[in-house]
Amino acid sequence: MVGGDSGPATAVDASPIFECLCKKLENVFHSPQKKDGKTISRWNDRQKNLEKRILTRKVPLSPPKTGSTPLPPARPLLPKAITTPPPPHTFPILAGQPLPQLPPPIQLST
């Protein structure tokens, strides 16, 4: 394939027809230009112009959509629950008993 600065394809399996097609496409669709060391893509400019045309187009506002019957009145809110912190939890197994002692760690011999 032909690259911007690379020249013709060097791969053995590159088709001469495909290479010719790429050259012709490059002649029609030029590479992006560089200005002050920055690449300027014409596709970005094209997209910006398209978006600007769409956003600045005057579109008439449609009337608000309403149903054939009015909505029922809103329901009153439920009263807020009074939040009190729960009592501290006690474990029934350990209630009133001293904490069990853990066995000593196993010594590994090296």
Side-chain angles (χ1 to χ4, degrees):
M1 232 170 89
V2 177
D5 297 327
S6 63
T10 56
V12 178
D13 60 348
S15 167
I17 296 171
F18 184 72
E19 185 175 338
C20 180
L21 174 68
C22 289
K23 284 182 182 179
K24 291 200 182 266
L25 285 172
E26 280 187 346
N27 289 335
V28 174
F29 301 103
H30 302 287
S31 297
Q33 298 175 353
K34 290 191 177 188
K35 184 176 182 181
D36 297 330
K38 294 183 181 179
T39 303
I40 302 170
S41 172
R42 65 186 178 101
W43 297 110
N44 287 346
D45 294 339
R46 184 178 178 157
Q47 183 68 27
K48 285 179 187 176
N49 290 336
L50 175 65
E51 290 173 359
K52 193 182 292 183
R53 281 197 323 254
I54 290 172
L55 293 174
T56 56
R57 190 181 328 164
K58 293 184 179 179
V59 179
L61 296 175
S62 61
K65 298 185 188 231
T66 57
S68 58
T69 58
L71 293 174
R75 290 188 256 165
L77 294 175
L78 296 174
K80 290 187 176 180
I82 300 171
T83 57
T84 56
H89 181 72
T90 56
F91 292 96
I93 297 173
L94 300 176
Q97 298 178 5
L99 292 174
Q101 295 294 321
L102 295 175
I106 300 173
Q107 297 292 327
L108 298 175
S109 60
T110 56

